[in-house]
Amino acid sequence: MDRLLLEGRQAGVSDLIAMGVDASSSRRAVAMAESLPGVWAAVGHHPLNQSPPEMEVLAELVRHPRVVAIGEVGLDHADEHRGPHDAQEQWFHAACRLALEHGLPVCVHTRDSTEAVYQALLAHPGLRGVMHYWVLDWEWAGHFMELGLHISFSGVVTRSTRQDLREVARRLPADRLLLETDAPWGTPRGRSGPMRPAWLRDTAEVVAEARGISLPELIELERENASALFERLRLD
């Protein structure tokens, strides 16, 4: 991990948020954030978990000063046998309530469930957050931005077949744009193997080109947006 973080810093990635997908991984994310400079934590319950979330554990972890978000949470209707849909909605609403209670943003997963996620978020006015691993169209980006959410792109935006995503990235208001690794997934074009922090630079270069700005300008924009959304995050 130290080697990957050093490699990332050499590529310009100064800070990372380690995401939890259940109570156990959320604990590990907090432990990493405590021990590794530049690492922060999000605690959550991925919708494809088949067991209910341990909300009492998440409610305890969320008080840690290195926890900057609730995530990864959301809905995934691609497979009924992994995370039943009705239970997913209950879990997602519980996570949104926890986020509002503690004034934290949510990091939202959606797959084959866009309308359901939108309706769930409508039920929690004032909730801040980010739609992660964005692969949807401009119209949906507009709907989620109307709710106050940011839009985050992984390495998928670099792929030759995804000019549509680069167009969304070009059109986004500057203050709603975020980038992510989504490790171990989201590998940029031309890379192979699990996603690494340093490869976020590949994504940044493509998005900067799409927006017609320099890489340093995009890096500064990302720092401003991350600091604004993840208020506990202190970028030195």
Side-chain angles (χ1 to χ4, degrees), residues 5 34 69 96 106 110 125 169 173 201 208:
L5 290 174
E34 286 181 326
C96 291
V106 288
T110 179
R201 188 181 184 94

Side-chain angles (χ1 to χ4, degrees), residues 59-74:
E60 178 183 353
L61 291 173
V62 79
R63 301 177 186 278
H64 194 286
R66 302 287 295 183
V67 172
V68 299
I70 304 295
E72 183 175 338
V73 296

Side-chain angles (χ1 to χ4, degrees), residues 129-132 134 144-145 148-152 175-178 225 228-229:
V130 55
M131 302 299 299
H132 105 104
W134 188 259
F144 286 111
M145 285 190 293
L149 277 80
H150 289 61
I151 306 295
S152 181
D175 62 352
R176 297 298 185 91
L177 174 68
L178 288 172
N225 290 349
L229 179 60

Side-chain angles (χ1 to χ4, degrees), residues 93-134:
H93 283 295
C96 291
R97 289 193 295 270
L98 183 65
L100 280 171
E101 179 183 350
H102 291 274
L104 292 175
V106 288
C107 300
V108 181
H109 170 102
T110 179
R111 186 170 62 150
D112 294 353
S113 57
T114 310
E115 178 65 31
V117 164
Y118 178 75
Q119 293 299 327
L121 291 170
L122 272 177
H124 300 278
L127 186 66
R128 299 176 299 115
V130 55
M131 302 299 299
H132 105 104
Y133 202 88
W134 188 259

Side-chain angles (χ1 to χ4, degrees), residues 20-66:
V21 295
D22 56 20
S24 177
S25 61
S26 293
R27 286 193 186 97
R28 291 197 300 272
V30 171
M32 288 173 58
E34 286 181 326
S35 62
L36 296 171
V39 176
W40 305 82
V43 300
H45 187 82
H46 194 282
L48 290 182
N49 289 324
Q50 293 180 293
S51 300
E54 297 179 55
M55 293 304 299
E56 68 283 356
V57 175
L58 299 183
E60 178 183 353
L61 291 173
V62 79
R63 301 177 186 278
H64 194 286
R66 302 287 295 183

